[in-house]
Structures are given as structure tokens and as C-alpha cells.
Amino acid sequence: MESVTNLREMVLAQLRSRIVSGEAAPGTIYSVPAVATEMGMSTTPVREALLELSRTGLVSPLRNRGFRVEAATPKDLENQFDVRIMLEVGALVAIARQGLTDTKPLVLLADDVAGAVKSGNVTDYIETDRRFHEALVSRADNPLLTRTIMGLRADMRLYGISSPEGLERQRASVSEHYEMIELATTRQTEAIAALITRHIASWKPLMTAALRELA
């Protein structure tokens, strides 16, 4: 039998994927018992997962009803892109400046992203991409920076990620992950700054257009 923690993480990944991808539109109500029944588990891990999502602002609790998916605005998305680029450029430049070592764990995580893209599983892509970037930025040895970056990523609406254009962008991101490892290893600070900027910013037009369509 899986532990409550493992089940919570499974529910968290699935619900976050539905919300940030736009599959669960703003205003959608998630009832704890209904989600537990759908996923074939007790209510405890579901409640814990939804409470975690409420802490990031993706959902809000409703008394005696469950949790409501919150809306995002184009300005919210623009601000998130701007701040992510500033912070992630700083993190990766710091890593490249000191020189990345022990790259095997990162290569394995990049392989996981590639596998998710190959299988066409968007939920797996979102989760494996998150793990790769968390492991990479943590090499800057600044826990506050890592928490801030990952908090921004967790709250970011990835509308359009399942569209044909989104799937194409996922495929393009695979080689970029391996390139980040290479550039950080060879201490190419300017090149890695340009790469992570492009890696993040290339999603902006797609996601902004998808968000406006939902409005």
C-alpha cells in the first residue's frame, strides 16, 4: 500500500497539471470526496494536496464546498515571465561561473523529460521538467533562490502546453536541457544566460494567447 505522502504527491502532480494547463478552467470546483473517488483513494491525501495548491494560489478553499480554481490575468503571466527570467539567469550564470560538476544526476533528469515528451504525457512532462530545473538551480547553492524560483514555477499557468504548438515547444526544450548542462560545465556564462532566457521566453506568446482565449 502506498503511503499517504506518496499519494498526496501523485494527486498534487495531477491536479496541478490540470490547473496550470487550463484543463481545469477558472471557477472549477474540486470536492475532496469527489476527487478521492475519482482517484480511488482516501480523502486525506486529496485534502492535503488541495491545501498545498491553495498555498500557491492556484485554488481557494470554499466553506463546505471544496476548492475553486483561481483565474490568472495576462499581467500576472507577464510578471511571472519577467521575474523568472531575472532569477533563473542569475542562478545559471552563478552555476556556470563556478563550473558545474557531477552532471550525471542532471543528465538522468533530462532523460526523464525526454521520455515524457516521447510518450506525449503532459502531466509527466510538467513534473519531470520541474524536477530537472529544481535540481539545476539548486546547484547555485542558494536555498532561498531555489525556493523562490520553484514557487514561481509552481504558480505559473501553462495554458496552451497541450496544444500542437505547446507539444512542439516541449520537444524543442529537450535538447535545451542537455545544452544547459554542457554550458554550465564548460563555464560559458554568456551563452547559458542567452539559452535560459530563450528557454523561458519562447513559451510566453503561446501561453499569453491561450490565456486570452480562456478569458
Side-chain angles (χ1 to χ4, degrees):
M1 181 179 294
E2 291 191 73
S3 70
V4 171
T5 299
N6 289 340
L7 291 172
R8 181 194 65 206
E9 292 303 314
M10 183 183 76
V11 177
L12 187 61
Q14 290 193 33
L15 293 183
R16 177 180 283 127
S17 174
R18 293 180 190 180
I19 295 167
V20 301
S21 69
E23 179 184 343
T28 299
I29 305 295
Y30 279 119
S31 157
V32 172
V35 175
T37 299
E38 175 195 344
M39 297 190 176
M41 62 182 68
S42 71
T43 58
T44 299
V46 173
R47 183 177 294 105
E48 290 181 356
L50 283 164
L51 286 170
E52 177 63 25
L53 291 173
S54 73
R55 284 190 282 271
T56 69
L58 291 177
V59 300
S60 294
L62 298 175
R63 187 175 181 84
N64 299 324
R65 293 186 62 194
F67 294 79
R68 180 184 59 216
V69 175
E70 291 300 313
T73 68
K75 184 60 177 175
D76 292 334
L77 197 61
E78 181 180 357
N79 290 341
Q80 288 170 328
F81 271 109
D82 289 347
V83 176
R84 274 193 59 195
I85 288 171
M86 285 189 288
L87 294 180
E88 294 190 45
V89 165
L92 267 62
V93 166
I95 295 165
R97 188 174 290 125
Q98 66 189 17
L100 183 65
T101 59
D102 188 22
T103 60
K104 185 176 180 179
L106 290 168
V107 171
L108 291 175
L109 289 169
D111 290 344
D112 289 342
V113 180
V117 171
K118 185 176 181 179
S119 71
N121 189 315
V122 175
T123 297
D124 284 353
Y125 173 78
I126 292 171
E127 180 60 18
T128 55
D129 182 70
R130 182 193 67 78
R131 290 175 185 169
F132 172 82
H133 283 280
E134 183 173 24
L136 181 59
V137 300
S138 69
R139 296 297 187 93
D141 196 25
N142 186 327
L144 176 58
L145 180 60
T146 299
R147 288 196 303 272
T148 304
I149 289 172
M150 298 314 297
L152 282 166
R153 290 177 62 90
D155 191 33
M156 197 165 194
R157 302 306 201 278
L158 307 178
Y159 295 159
I161 195 170
S162 301
S163 68
E165 296 82 2
L167 295 176
E168 180 60 31
R169 182 67 200 110
Q170 289 180 42
R171 288 189 285 271
S173 75
V174 170
S175 62
E176 292 169 358
H177 291 147
Y178 295 109
E179 189 177 356
M180 287 176 206
I181 297 170
E182 176 65 20
L183 293 176
T185 302
T186 54
R187 303 190 180 196
Q188 298 187 54
T189 55
E190 291 185 7
I192 203 168
L195 174 59
I196 189 61
T197 298
R198 184 173 73 251
H199 183 75
I200 297 170
S202 59
W203 284 102
K204 186 176 180 179
L206 185 158
M207 292 181 178
T208 301
L211 177 58
R212 292 186 188 280
E213 288 179 6
L214 287 173

